[in-house]
């Protein structure tokens, strides 16, 4: 329904947001930022208007957040041709996406997961942030904690041990597993 920037802005102008915000310049700026992001990540082609690429169609069809798709693609592209990613590496990759609700780090977790990060660093897909990048490293460790929960579940650790170890309920485990299955399936496609 919109194959140009102008067509997209016309469409967006009829939305509730545009009616409430009443700031055409802001809407245009955000639209340009989003189009740039989608183009840089290979989800749209701007050569002949705005056209979704094959990857863009797949991302849309799978209902993935484009930021999740970009994170997954970046991680998978970091794997060498003769390498096979480990389960922890793949779990951590999908746990880093905006589509996965990550576990919080509790008191003492930072040290535990920092140590684990260095022990298993070769398994991670993509760039490991520096400890000096506080927010990025904290998010990385939070994703690692979530990935360890998934690894324990895949290794058939008793549900009671998992709930105690990570401070979650059985429904939380199921939710994480379901989301990981969806994201890993999307990564495969």
């Amino acid at each position: 329904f919109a194959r140009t920037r102008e067509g997209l802005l016309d469409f967006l102008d009829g939305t509730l947001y545009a009616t409430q915000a009443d700031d055409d310049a802001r809407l245009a700026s955000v639209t340009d930022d989003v189009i740039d992001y989608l183009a840089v990540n290979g989800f749209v082609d701007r050569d002949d208007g705005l056209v979704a690429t094959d990857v863009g169609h797949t991302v849309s069809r799978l209902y993935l957040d484009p930021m999740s798709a970009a994170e997954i693609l970046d991680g998978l592209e970091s794997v060498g041709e003769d390498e096979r990613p480990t389960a922890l590496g793949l779990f951590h990759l999908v746990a880093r996406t905006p589509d996965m609700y990550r576990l919080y780090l509790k008191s003492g977790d930072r040290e535990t997961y920092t140590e684990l990060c260095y022990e298993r660093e070769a398994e991670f897909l993509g760039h490991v942030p520096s400890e000096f990048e506080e927010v990025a490293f904290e998010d990385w460790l939070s994703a690692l904690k979530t990935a360890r929960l998934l690894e324990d579940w895949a290794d058939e650790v008793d549900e009671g041990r998992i709930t105690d170890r990570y401070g979650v309920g059985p429904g939380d485990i199921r939710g994480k597993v379901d989301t990981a299955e969806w994201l890993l399936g999307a990564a495969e496609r």
Side-chain angles (χ1 to χ4, degrees):
F1 57 86
R3 296 202 179 269
T4 65
R5 176 188 179 273
E6 292 73 27
L8 186 56
L9 286 172
D10 285 344
F11 170 79
L12 293 172
D13 194 45
T15 64
L16 178 61
Y17 172 81
T19 304
Q20 290 178 339
D22 198 30
D23 185 357
D24 292 342
R26 171 90 174 116
L27 184 60
S29 173
V30 170
T31 300
D32 289 340
D33 289 346
V34 170
I35 291 170
D36 288 345
Y37 180 84
L38 295 172
V40 164
N41 284 286
F43 301 139
V44 297
D45 185 1
R46 292 190 277 199
D47 290 341
D48 295 319
L50 294 176
V51 180
T53 63
D54 289 342
V55 172
H57 277 292
T58 301
V59 169
S60 176
R61 194 176 63 252
L62 296 172
Y63 297 104
L64 278 177
D65 180 325
M67 293 175 73
S68 291
E71 183 74 32
I72 290 169
L73 289 169
D74 183 58
L76 292 176
E77 288 170 357
S78 74
V79 178
E81 285 185 34
D82 58 340
E83 296 177 327
R84 279 188 65 113
T86 65
L88 180 69
L90 291 169
F91 292 149
H92 187 260
L93 176 63
V94 298
R96 294 192 323 250
T97 67
D99 283 310
M100 174 69 81
Y101 178 72
R102 291 185 284 279
L103 297 175
Y104 290 108
L105 293 179
K106 297 178 183 173
S107 178
D109 280 353
R110 184 177 172 99
E111 184 177 314
T112 301
Y113 289 101
T114 297
E115 186 176 310
L116 181 64
C117 175
Y118 290 120
E119 286 174 9
R120 298 183 70 179
E121 186 173 5
E123 296 181 56
F124 299 124
L125 308 179
H127 169 73
V128 179
S130 165
E131 283 186 70
F132 301 109
E133 299 173 63
E134 284 290 322
V135 175
F137 193 67
E138 187 99 359
D139 285 345
W140 185 269
L141 293 180
S142 182
L144 179 54
K145 183 176 181 180
T146 305
R148 282 289 295 138
L149 178 147
L150 293 167
E151 186 178 52
D152 282 352
W153 180 85
D155 289 342
E156 299 183 2
V157 172
D158 180 68
E159 187 176 89
R161 288 190 69 196
I162 294 174
T163 59
D164 290 344
R165 183 177 292 164
Y166 299 99
V168 298
D172 297 318
I173 297 169
R174 183 79 251 154
K176 298 267 181 275
V177 169
D178 288 346
T179 302
E181 286 176 352
W182 165 55
L183 291 168
L184 288 168
E188 183 176 26
R189 286 186 189 91

